[in-house]
Amino acid sequence: MSKTIIAPSILAADFANLEKDIKMVNDSKADWFHLDVMDGVFVPNISFGMPVIEAISKHANKTLDVHLMIVQPERYIKDFAGIGANILTVHYEASTHLHRTIQAIKAEGMQAGVALNPHTNVSVLKDTIQDIDLVCMMSVNPGFGGQSFIENTYEKVKELKQIIAEKGASTKIEIDGGVTNKNAKQLVEAGADVLVAGSYVFGSENPTSTIENLSELVKK
Ligand code: DX5
Ligand code: ZN
């Protein structure tokens, strides 16, 4: 069993002092940077885009996990590769030609992720799972940090784990939204490989030790 990956979400960082928060993550037990791009169309909020990610990538020394909450994400695959994204995740609900989009992401040298909204059944990925490096399972409705975790997620993780095993795929399962020390262990037991945590990390008094404690809690 491999180690659970911890991915702090920069959406909850201090945007006026990003360098400090990036350094904190660099020096912490975290594994990835989770970067949320929102377009105000696919989700009812706008976050940040390429110039900010490019600036972050100059300071970050860990994997850049970019989560696109935008319509027609295939338009920007080359741009995100060019600014240093290592993993590029598109939403199933925003991709008419998902298979083509996954191949295009890989052709740019990135790992391909697919995100599922809470209402989307995991079975829709049966025919593409072998091509997907990461499934980002939304455990809140995408668009905002700081929302409450949806309990039905555990069931979805178990179902997806089964599909991955049946197909002999090596896809990782990432949980995104409302992750805290209250649900982390149960999520990993259900089959999660990556935990995104935004407000739980950056809203805490000591983010470095919050990351460390979370990573200890889910040690396998
Ligand atoms: C929500 C984003 C999440 C968010 C998680 O749309 O995709 O990555 O930053 O934030 P928390 O951990 O605060 O729920
Ligand atoms: Zn996200």
Side-chain angles (χ1 to χ4, degrees), residues 34 36 67 176:
H34 184 82
D36 290 308
H67 176 193
D176 191 9

Side-chain angles (χ1 to χ4, degrees), residues 166-183:
E166 275 166 15
K167 299 277 184 180
S170 51
T171 318
K172 285 187 164 60
I173 303 177
E174 173 178 68
I175 311 298
D176 191 9
V179 171
T180 68
N181 60 348
K182 302 269 185 300
N183 49 31

Side-chain angles (χ1 to χ4, degrees), residues 88-176:
L88 192 65
T89 295
V90 298
H91 265 263
Y92 168 81
E93 300 83 4
S95 311
T96 313
H97 297 285
L98 183 65
H99 184 271
R100 179 186 286 152
T101 301
I102 292 166
Q103 306 309 326
I105 293 172
K106 291 179 164 180
E108 291 299 326
M110 298 178 287
Q111 291 184 51
V114 176
L116 294 181
N117 277 342
H119 74 272
T120 304
N121 194 277
V122 295
S123 62
V124 298
L125 296 182
K126 270 190 180 167
D127 294 301
T128 40
I129 199 74
Q130 278 155 311
D131 297 309
I132 301 173
D133 296 300
L134 177 81
V135 172
C136 174
M137 190 173 285
M138 294 308 304
S139 39
V140 298
N141 284 294
F144 303 93
Q147 303 180 81
S148 317
F149 178 81
I150 298 171
E151 296 287 324
N152 184 51
T153 308
Y154 301 117
E155 215 36 57
K156 288 181 75 176
V157 175
K158 287 183 200 156
E159 282 171 31
L160 180 60
K161 199 77 182 172
Q162 202 171 329
I163 293 173
I164 293 170
E166 275 166 15
K167 299 277 184 180
S170 51
T171 318
K172 285 187 164 60
I173 303 177
E174 173 178 68
I175 311 298
D176 191 9

